[in-house]
């Protein structure tokens, strides 16, 4: 190994160790703190989202032998299965501990996150040389969204398998010197694809974009590879089959509850009818929310959200483009057209599905993870491309000036880590002494509601996890009966049928889903206000009481 190559790997090793240390440090912070650490201006700054506790509850119940259930009553397929099985395997050893299994799981995710960085580095390196891979690591190591494990328990696993799929494709399908992939390569690709869908079902969009790119780059390949492709499909089914068997055994259904329920809630909260096509403004709002989330999560954009940083970022970005335009000439490196085609197709398919079909709204932060890391890789290649032109065309003084300008913005990229690392226990103590939002309401429920009472809520993640009460899920994401009731306008009647004694949620959820969207809405005489805090809590009365 020559000196330059050894230096490259030393840099990569240092960045990866640095990144792992950051993630491990965060993984061992208090669980409630991790669920409430919205710091600075980044909405994507929470490691454990409310939805994370849906998965943790189901995983814990599954480990305890209760099946696929969130509340101990309703069986559900509304979970990301690979995440659930991995977490359940940890709870199997610590069934009564609600904190240690979370820390262990997050440490595993920290390792997976660093492995994803290594895969992305390899993809960039093969596409445009080692400097593009190093550029990616430089920015991604300090990305707030990446440090926060990409904003969701399943997201890190999903990104890893997506990148592994792209890494494998790049070497055995996109490669110019591999015209005829073997049966084994097709089968392994199918296994990886199945695991990607196992981690998160929207990996199918990633797979579709890969197939489209393959058809564009090598149209003759697919025409002669149909038998081998069937072997690949068999591999994908083999990897996904265990989940299909388990879901049918426990629930009698093959599909997820969560997608349709999430879509329905988005429509009802936007005052759209539960059936039919929403107003076009609804789709425009979805699109706006998607770009807002992209800005908040993207490593090259989010650090510049304050006015001075916007100014500096604009000057630096403009300088790059002006220099590239002024220099002109023929580019000296082969630009990775295949990766660009794939990025364009995947981004297009993703926007169409999530804007016009899935209606993600405020949940786009983790949905966007694969888009963000892919565009980050392309941006890193562009940056490397610009510098390669500069180094080849300009005099030494210009190069030094540009490098100095580039280095000068490094503090603006890395400074946000100061708040995220929370290395000083005083900061953790400060947040621990606060009235936490969801977990604080769970503690209030423990202290003020009878042990045998059924409590209904549309936000049941932390309420179920941190309270010792039976919290019935009403949003339908992990309760198919609630989804059906919401879909038919029978939500209020469903609450009455369950004989719930308490209702805890935001007023807007109660108003829009249990009153406005219900054929027979809850009446004021049926609800007695007993607490108004982060959630409003009502004691429910039946007509017979």
């Amino acid at each position: 190994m020559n000196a330059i190559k050894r230096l490259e790997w030393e840099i990569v090793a240092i960045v990866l160790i640095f990144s792992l240390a950051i993630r491990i440090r965060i993984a061992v912070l208090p669980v409630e703190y991790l669920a409430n650490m919205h710091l600075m201006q980044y909405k994507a700054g929470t490691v454990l989202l409310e939805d994370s506790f849906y998965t943790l509850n189901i995983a814990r119940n599954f480990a305890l032998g209760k099946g696929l259930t969130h509340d101990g009553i309703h069986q559900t397929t509304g979970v990301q299965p690979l995440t659930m099985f991995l977490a359940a395997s940890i709870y199997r050893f610590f069934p009564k501990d609600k904190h240690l299994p979370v820390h262990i799981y997050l440490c595993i995710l920290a390792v997976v996150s660093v492995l994803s960085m290594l895969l992305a580095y390899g993809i960039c390196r093969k596409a445009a040389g080692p400097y593009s891979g190093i550029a990616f690591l430089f920015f991604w190591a300090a990305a707030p969204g990446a440090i926060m494990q990409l904003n969701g328990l399943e997201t890190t696993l999903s990104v890893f398998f997506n990148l592994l799929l792209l890494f494998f494709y790049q070497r055995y399908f996109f490669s110019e010197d591999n015209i005829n992939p073997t049966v084994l390569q097709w089968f392994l690709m199918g296994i990886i694809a199945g695991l990607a869908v196992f981690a998160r079902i929207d990996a199918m969009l990633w797979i579709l974009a890969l197939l489209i790119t393959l058809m564009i780059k090598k149209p003759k390949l697919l025409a002669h590879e149909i038998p081998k492709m069937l072997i690949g499909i068999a591999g994908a089914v083999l990897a996904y089959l265990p989940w299909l068997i388990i879901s049918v055994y426990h629930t009698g259904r093959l599909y997820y509850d969560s997608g349709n329920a999430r879509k329905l809630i988005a429509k009802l909260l936007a005052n759209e009818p539960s059936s039919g096509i929403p107003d076009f403004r609804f789709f425009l709002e979805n699109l706006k929310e998607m770009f807002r989330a992209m800005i908040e999560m993207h490593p090259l954009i989010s650090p510049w959200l304050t006015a001075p940083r916007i100014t500096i970022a604009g000057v630096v970005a403009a300088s790059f483009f002006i220099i590239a335009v002024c220099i002109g000439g023929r580019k000296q490196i082969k630009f990775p057209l295949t990766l660009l085609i794939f990025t364009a197709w995947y981004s297009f398919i993703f926007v169409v599905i999530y804007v016009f079909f899935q209606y993600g709204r405020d949940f786009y932060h983790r949905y966007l993870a694969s888009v963000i890391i892919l565009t980050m890789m392309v941006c890193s290649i562009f940056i490397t491309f610009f510098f390669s032109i500069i180094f080849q065309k300009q005099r030494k003084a210009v190069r030094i000036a540009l490098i100095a300008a580039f280095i000068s913005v490094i503090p603006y990229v890395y400074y946000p880590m100061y708040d995220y690392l929370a290395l000083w226990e005083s900061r953790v103590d400060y947040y621990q002494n606060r009235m936490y939002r969801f977990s604080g309401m769970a503690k209030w429920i423990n202290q003020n509601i009878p042990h045998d009472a059924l409590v209904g809520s549309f936000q049941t993640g932390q309420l179920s996890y941190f309270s010792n009460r039976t919290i019935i899920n009403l949003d339908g994401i992990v309760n198919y009966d609630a989804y059906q009731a919401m879909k038919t306008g029978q939500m209020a009647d469903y609450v009455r049928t369950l004989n719930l004694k308490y209702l805890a949620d935001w007023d807007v959820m109660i108003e829009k889903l249990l009153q406005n969207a219900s054929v027979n809405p809850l009446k004021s005489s049926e609800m007695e206000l007993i607490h108004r805090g982060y959630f409003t809590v009502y004691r429910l009365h039946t007509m017979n009481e």
Side-chain angles (χ1 to χ4, degrees):
M1 183 183 294
N2 59 44
I4 295 178
K5 195 171 185 64
R6 185 168 59 250
L7 177 61
E8 174 194 346
W9 285 110
E10 288 174 352
I11 293 172
V12 171
I14 290 171
V15 173
L16 293 181
I17 293 171
F18 168 73
S19 300
L20 181 62
I22 295 173
R23 287 154 176 77
I24 293 293
R25 170 56 190 164
I26 290 177
V28 298
L29 290 172
V31 173
E32 292 186 18
Y33 175 73
L34 294 174
N36 294 274
M37 56 186 300
H38 284 274
L39 305 181
M40 298 181 66
Q41 68 268 37
Y42 303 101
K43 285 190 176 182
T46 304
V47 174
L48 297 174
L49 295 169
E50 166 66 2
D51 285 7
S52 300
F53 291 92
Y54 281 54
T55 299
L56 293 174
N57 279 311
I58 296 172
R60 189 165 181 266
N61 285 329
F62 190 79
L64 293 172
K66 298 180 181 179
L68 297 172
T69 178
H70 173 72
D71 53 22
I73 299 174
H74 302 91
Q75 295 291 312
T76 180
T77 58
V79 66
Q80 305 296 345
L82 185 59
T83 300
M84 189 276 296
F85 286 132
L86 179 58
S89 66
I90 301 172
Y91 281 108
R92 187 72 177 173
F93 294 98
F94 310 98
K96 295 183 180 180
D97 197 321
K98 294 186 177 182
H99 295 84
L100 181 59
V102 178
H103 295 308
I104 293 173
Y105 185 84
L106 291 178
C107 287
I108 293 173
L109 288 189
V111 174
V112 174
S113 178
V114 172
L115 291 176
S116 296
M117 292 175 62
L118 187 59
L119 285 173
Y121 163 79
I123 294 168
C124 291
R125 191 182 193 281
K126 186 171 178 61
Y131 297 118
S132 61
I134 291 174
F136 169 82
L137 293 179
F138 169 80
F139 287 107
W140 196 252
I147 292 174
M148 295 296 103
Q149 307 285 19
L150 292 170
N151 190 237
L153 286 182
E154 82 282 358
T155 315
T156 300
L157 293 175
S158 176
V159 167
F160 171 77
F161 283 108
N162 282 350
L163 289 175
L164 183 61
L165 200 60
L166 181 59
F167 182 86
F168 199 91
Y169 252 60
Q170 184 189 44
R171 275 153 179 74
Y172 299 111
F173 291 80
F174 290 160
S175 177
E176 298 296 336
D177 56 358
N178 190 14
I179 302 174
N180 187 24
T182 65
V183 172
L184 179 59
Q185 288 168 351
W186 272 106
F187 182 73
L188 290 176
M189 179 55 56
I191 292 288
I192 298 171
L195 291 173
V197 176
F198 203 7
R200 187 172 176 83
I201 197 168
D202 62 3
M204 291 189 294
L205 306 182
W206 187 274
I207 296 168
L208 178 59
L210 284 173
L211 289 174
I212 292 174
T213 307
L214 191 60
M215 291 174 63
I216 293 173
K217 292 292 291 182
K218 297 183 178 181
K220 295 181 180 180
L221 177 63
L222 289 181
H224 295 88
E225 296 287 304
I226 293 178
K228 295 179 183 178
M229 187 185 297
L230 293 176
I231 297 296
I233 293 173
V237 172
L238 182 64
Y240 198 69
L241 188 60
W243 168 241
L244 298 180
I245 295 172
I246 291 173
S247 63
V248 170
Y249 175 78
H250 284 283
T251 69
R253 295 188 300 277
L254 289 172
Y255 54 88
Y256 288 15
D257 299 334
S258 55
N260 288 330
R262 183 78 73 194
K263 179 178 178 180
L264 179 59
I265 287 178
K267 292 175 69 175
L268 295 177
L269 292 180
N271 299 316
E272 294 283 345
S274 59
S275 60
I277 300 175
D279 187 276
F280 187 70
R281 288 173 295 180
F282 177 84
F283 298 121
L284 290 179
E285 184 67 21
N286 280 346
L287 190 62
K288 184 181 76 172
E289 288 295 312
M290 176 179 288
F291 282 110
R292 176 192 58 78
M294 174 67 81
I295 289 172
E296 291 175 349
M297 283 282 284
H298 204 285
L300 289 182
I301 302 175
S302 57
W304 318 103
L305 293 180
T306 57
R309 293 179 183 176
I310 290 175
T311 303
I312 294 175
V315 171
V316 173
S319 299
F320 279 134
F321 283 100
I322 291 172
I323 291 168
V325 171
C326 291
I327 291 174
R330 302 175 66 87
K331 60 178 180 290
Q332 301 298 313
I333 64 173
K334 185 177 180 180
F335 206 77
L337 182 61
T338 300
L339 187 60
L340 288 177
I341 293 173
F342 170 70
T343 301
W345 270 107
Y346 177 68
S347 301
F348 173 75
I349 295 171
F350 181 89
V351 170
V352 170
I353 292 297
Y354 274 91
V355 170
F356 296 100
F357 177 74
Q358 191 55 42
Y359 316 154
R361 291 295 172 115
D362 290 335
F363 306 96
Y364 276 130
H365 287 102
R366 67 182 183 275
Y367 293 176
L368 282 164
S370 290
V371 175
I372 290 171
I373 197 168
L374 191 58
T375 55
M376 186 65 241
M377 291 161 62
V378 172
C379 288
S380 299
I381 293 172
F382 266 109
I383 291 172
T384 307
F385 173 67
F386 291 149
F387 270 109
S388 70
I389 294 177
I390 294 167
F391 288 167
Q392 291 167 8
K393 297 288 185 178
Q394 295 300 310
R395 289 179 294 182
K396 185 176 181 179
V398 176
R399 297 180 199 172
I400 293 174
L402 289 171
I403 292 174
F406 184 73
I407 293 175
S408 69
V409 304
I410 291 177
Y412 290 91
V413 177
Y414 277 78
Y415 177 75
M417 285 196 307
Y418 178 87
D419 262 340
Y420 277 97
L421 294 181
L423 294 174
W424 300 269
E425 294 301 327
S426 60
R427 285 192 63 80
V428 179
D429 292 339
Y430 168 75
Y431 278 89
Q432 283 181 313
N433 291 329
R434 290 180 56 193
M435 175 66 174
Y436 285 105
R437 305 173 307 157
F438 294 101
S439 57
M441 285 306 307
K443 292 178 180 177
W444 186 93
I445 288 173
N446 276 338
Q447 296 168 359
N448 296 278
I449 289 181
H451 189 273
D452 59 347
L454 294 181
V455 182
S457 179
F458 295 93
Q459 324 291 328
T460 56
Q462 293 186 56
L463 291 189
S464 292
Y465 197 80
F466 291 112
S467 75
N468 298 317
R469 306 294 182 267
T470 299
I471 312 293
I472 303 298
N473 175 263
L474 299 180
D475 64 9
I477 293 171
V478 288
N479 181 354
Y480 188 73
D481 293 341
Y483 163 65
Q484 288 294 325
M486 195 183 311
K487 185 178 179 181
T488 58
Q490 305 297 320
M491 198 64 210
D493 287 331
Y494 177 69
V495 167
R496 297 184 184 100
T497 302
L498 287 173
N499 197 27
L500 297 182
K501 295 302 181 183
Y502 295 89
L503 188 64
D505 216 301
W506 299 311
D507 286 326
V508 65
M509 301 294 287
I510 297 172
E511 176 187 349
K512 291 195 174 185
L513 300 178
L514 289 174
Q515 295 178 326
N516 296 352
S518 292
V519 176
N520 185 20
L522 284 179
K523 301 178 177 64
S524 57
S525 58
E526 298 178 85
M527 301 187 298
E528 176 189 353
L529 177 65
I530 62 172
H531 176 73
R532 189 176 293 280
Y534 185 70
F535 282 169
T536 301
V537 182
Y538 293 95
R539 182 183 290 113
L540 299 181
H541 301 283
T542 64
M543 296 302 180
N544 296 327
E545 291 181 334

